[in-house]
Each structure stands twice: as structure tokens, then as C-alpha cells.
Amino acid sequence: MPKVGMEPIRREQLINATMAAIDEVGLAEATVMRIARHAGVSAGIISHYFGGKDGLLEATMRQILTDLNHAISMRRHALEDNTPRAHIGAIIEGNFDRTQVTGPAAKTWLAFWASSMHKPMLQRLQNVNDRRLYTNLCHQFRQVMPRADARNAARGLAAMIDGLWLRGALTPEGLDADEARHLAHNYLDQLLAYHGCQPRASMTETY
Amino acid sequence: MPKVGMEPIRREQLINATMAAIDEVGLAEATVMRIARHAGVSAGIISHYFGGKDGLLEATMRQILTDLNHAISMRRHALEDNTPRAHIGAIIEGNFDRTQVTGPAAKTWLAFWASSMHKPMLQRLQNVNDRRLYTNLCHQFRQVMPRADARNAARGLAAMIDGLWLRGALTPEGLDADEARHLAHNYLDQLLAYHGCQPRASMTETY
DNA sequence: TTTTATTGATTGAACGTTCAATAAAAAAAT
DNA sequence: ATTTTTTTATTGAACGTTCAATCAATAAAA
């Protein structure tokens, strides 16, 4: 079987297998053997390509964060108008991208989040991502409200997004992405309404 | 050392030691030996009083949920007025009780939450607690808004509370409980304002 | 003397990592 | 074209470690 140029293929296989294994039995029982079996390779190959289990887990988390940021920036670059509402809306939409919220990636993300409390490397990755989200939100809010208000709006919306995400990952039925987006957008409307911004044309209900 | 009636004392010691160990090194590395050392006893005693490590972890999660519910219902019974706003406010305050949000209990709670995804017993405990919070919020909201709105308000506020909680447990500095309460209360005000309720006398800022 | 509480060495299972062996593909030599 | 050599990719058994659970031994209290 050995051909040249297997490395990128195996890396992708193993990262996907890691998410599948964590989705299946959780991080604690996602052993190298189980992950390798998912990818259809032997256990030893993990150390060969990732230096060890920790390297594979780190690479998997990087992949998830990369995908998430990609989903967000794609939507932001596709915007027609440059209003803060549009940008923040795109951030919300990106966070609730179907590929992110459904399936193995969501549970893997939550598992890593919890694990990052005591693993410095994961914590670092988490922090960088958190700060980017906060900074982006803050920058947009500051264009329509004072700085102190913008900071609180950014923190509130970030908490709302995470809360919806986490509840979605935990409910056995999985996240109702539409409802989550609805709640986040309405919260955004409420935050902006206090500063004289018009709500969107559609979806002006109260909840 | 052996005296009669040690059981309740040891159980409490070991549950507290479990939280301390999880706070220190995380659930994955909270071994029975480390927990026992924290409590100043030997490892074997855990199986004696809890039937095994799983029994101790389950008892610890029960304790945390009991404490949380206690903090909430104490505040609700101490209310002077019976308005929905007051009750929901008490639920918020209870959730951000200092003893809950600070220290070992918060990180232990988050660790269990993540772990509950793949451990049926923990998931059951989590579900019961979640449903109680949602039911209580829903019941209060329904007194001032239509049922569909109340359901969404309850889900939104529950997500907000969890999001603030989780972000607090993960930030190295710990949760700023005052800011979290502030954000949650203002979100509550916004939810109620749409249905003709007056905001609280104080704290009518926008964020 | 009997009961209750506790210890800690031992056991067996499970884990991540390592590495010599293997096999296929690619390159070089004939 | 065929054969030989080299390189690359992969395996899986062996190793050392770590963990939870067990239980005979022990010691204090009743």
C-alpha cells in the first residue's frame, strides 16, 4: 500500500477519526487504538505522524478552530453592506454553521473546551480564539454605542452564543440550530435597539 | 482512630476532596489516590463508602446540584413580592451565588457537564436539573407573555446563564460574578420590556 | 472479646509508546 | 524491459507505566 505523499491524507484521516471517536465514546475513552481503528490504520502510526496522542489532539483542536473561523470569515466577506449589524449577524451565522454545530465536531469542541482548563496548550488555543471573537464583536458594537456599552454587549453576546452552543451539544437530540440563531439574532436586535438602531426588516418578534 | 459514626464525616470529606482534586488537576487526572490524599485517608476507603470511583463521582455531582438548587430556592423563598421578575431575578442570583461560581465547585460542575455527554448516569442528573430550571423560568415568563414567547425567553435566559457560567469557569481569573449578574439581569429586563413590564428602578442602563 | 473503621501491598487490566520487521513503491542499474 | 537497490509507509508485538479494585491484616473503640 505504501505510496509517497501519504502524510496529508493520513493526517486528515486521523483527525477525522479523532472527532468520530470522541463523538462516540467521549475524550476519556478515545484511546489511540480506537482512533486508529476508526481510520483503518494501526495504532503506531499516530506517534509517527503526530509525535504522540497529545499531538493528535492538539491538531484536531486546531482543525476545529480553523474550520470555525473559516465559516465566520466566509460569511463576513460575502456581506453586501458593511453595517455593524450585518457583521455581527455574520458572526452569529458562522458560529451556528451546520457543519460546526452538528455531528462530531460539536462534541469534540466541547470536550476540548472542558479539557483546556488543565492543559496549557489547549488553553492557549482556546484563549486566542476567544479573544478574537470578543475583539471582533467589540469593534462592531463600538461603532454604534459607547465603549463601555460595547464591551458589555460583546461579552453578553459571546456568552449567549457559547451558552446556546453548549446546550446544543449536550441535548441528546442535538442543537436546534434555527432556534439558536433566532435567539441570538433577537438578542442582538435588543442590544442594538437601545442605541437607536432599527431592527431588521423581518423577524421583529419579541422573543 | 476508628470511631463509630464515621460514615457521614468521611463521605463529606471525600466529596470535598473530589472537588478539590478536580479543581487542581482536572477530572482526567483526579485519581482515587490523589483524592484520598486530599482527604487524608487511604485509597481503599473510597470503595468502602462509595462502592468505587464512579459512586464517588456521582455523589459529588449530586452534592453540587443540591447546593445549587438550595441557593436558588433560598432566595426565592426570601422574596417580598411574588412578581415573575422577582422570581426570575432570584433564579439568576442563585445561579451566580458566590459559593457556586468561585472555587472548586465551578470547575467540577463544568467537568461533569462535559463528562455527562457519554455517562448515562451523569446525563440523567444533568437532564433533571436542566428541565427544572427551564420549567421554572417558563412558568414565570408565561405570566407576562404568550406561551411561545415564554418558551423562547426561558431558553434564551437559560443559555445566557450557562454561557456566563462556563466562560467564568474557563477564564484563568475566574468569573466576575458581578458582571455576569449584571448582564443576565439586563437581558431579563429586555425580555420583559417587550411585554410592557417596567424595568427595575435601578440599573436601567442599556447593556 | 466483638465490632467497626482503616490501611496499603497486591492484582490484573488498560493504556501510550517504541521499534524491529515487513512490504510496497520508486529509483537506479543492468 | 527487467532486475536490483533504496526509500517510504506501516504494522503489531513487547514494554513499562498507571490505575481502580481487592482483601487480609491491623488497630482502636465498644
Side-chain angles (χ1 to χ4, degrees), chain A residues 4 12 48 61-62 133 144 148 150:
Chain A
V4 296
E12 191 188 333
H48 183 248
M61 186 170 191
R62 280 187 196 277
L133 171 62
V144 290

Side-chain angles (χ1 to χ4, degrees), chain A residues 21-27 29 106-108 110-111 113-114 116-119 123 126-127 130 133-134 148-153 155-160 162-164 166-167 169-172 179 182-183 187 189-191 193-195 204-207, chain B residues 21-27 29 106-108 110-111 113-114 116-119 123 126-127 130 133-134 148-153 155-160 162-164 166-167 169-172 179 182-183 187 189-191 193-195 204-207:
Chain A
I22 292 175
D23 178 52
E24 213 176 282
V25 296
L27 181 56
E29 295 183 32
K107 279 187 182 169
T108 305
L110 177 51
W113 199 8
S116 76
M117 277 192 294
H118 299 98
K119 300 208 172 176
Q123 193 169 46
Q126 191 66 54
N127 252 351
D130 253 22
L133 171 62
Y134 173 70
D149 289 6
R151 281 185 16 174
N152 281 290
R155 288 189 182 142
L157 186 56
M160 172 68 87
D162 286 343
L164 290 169
L166 292 157
R167 297 195 137 244
L170 280 171
T171 51
E179 188 189 358
H182 198 188
L183 286 166
Y187 181 48
D189 282 345
Q190 288 168 14
L191 289 170
Y194 271 96
H195 294 272
T204 52
E205 314 101 66
T206 57
Y207 51 86
Chain B
I22 291 175
D23 178 52
E24 212 175 283
V25 296
L27 181 57
E29 295 184 32
K107 279 187 181 167
T108 305
L110 177 51
W113 200 9
S116 76
M117 277 192 294
H118 299 98
K119 300 209 171 176
Q123 193 170 44
Q126 191 65 54
N127 250 351
D130 254 23
L133 172 61
Y134 173 71
D149 288 7
R151 281 184 18 173
N152 280 289
R155 286 188 183 144
L157 186 56
M160 173 67 88
D162 285 343
L164 291 168
L166 291 158
R167 298 196 138 243
L170 280 171
T171 52
E179 189 190 357
H182 198 188
L183 286 166
Y187 181 48
D189 282 345
Q190 289 170 14
L191 288 171
Y194 270 95
H195 294 272
T204 52
E205 314 100 66
T206 59
Y207 52 84

Side-chain angles (χ1 to χ4, degrees), chain A residues 126-163:
Chain A
Q126 191 66 54
N127 252 351
V128 169
N129 214 257
D130 253 22
R131 223 178 290 273
R132 172 158 44 201
L133 171 62
Y134 173 70
T135 304
N136 284 337
L137 288 176
C138 224
H139 178 253
Q140 297 298 328
F141 277 121
R142 273 183 66 179
Q143 297 182 28
V144 290
M145 58 181 78
R147 178 182 302 155
D149 289 6
R151 281 185 16 174
N152 281 290
R155 288 189 182 142
L157 186 56
M160 172 68 87
I161 290 172
D162 286 343

Side-chain angles (χ1 to χ4, degrees), chain B residues 1-3 6-7 9-15 17-18 32-33 35-53 55-56:
Chain B
M1 310 133 190
K3 269 199 265 188
M6 280 282 99
E7 181 160 344
I9 296 171
R10 289 280 178 252
R11 286 182 70 95
E12 190 188 334
Q13 280 181 336
L14 286 167
I15 286 173
T18 302
V32 290
M33 272 200 192
I35 293 170
R37 200 179 334 129
H38 252 286
V41 295
S42 88
I45 213 74
I46 287 175
S47 289
H48 183 247
Y49 282 124
F50 293 94
K53 191 186 182 184
L56 173 56

Side-chain angles (χ1 to χ4, degrees), chain A residues 25-74:
Chain A
V25 296
L27 181 56
E29 295 183 32
T31 66
V32 290
M33 273 199 193
R34 191 186 289 268
I35 293 170
R37 198 176 338 128
H38 252 284
V41 295
S42 89
I45 213 73
I46 287 174
S47 290
H48 183 248
Y49 282 123
F50 293 95
K53 190 186 181 184
D54 283 348
L56 173 57
L57 295 180
E58 184 191 324
T60 304
M61 186 170 191
R62 280 187 196 277
Q63 184 67 54
I64 289 175
L65 295 181
T66 298
D67 291 346
L68 180 58
N69 285 318
H70 188 244
I72 292 172
S73 47
M74 256 185 39

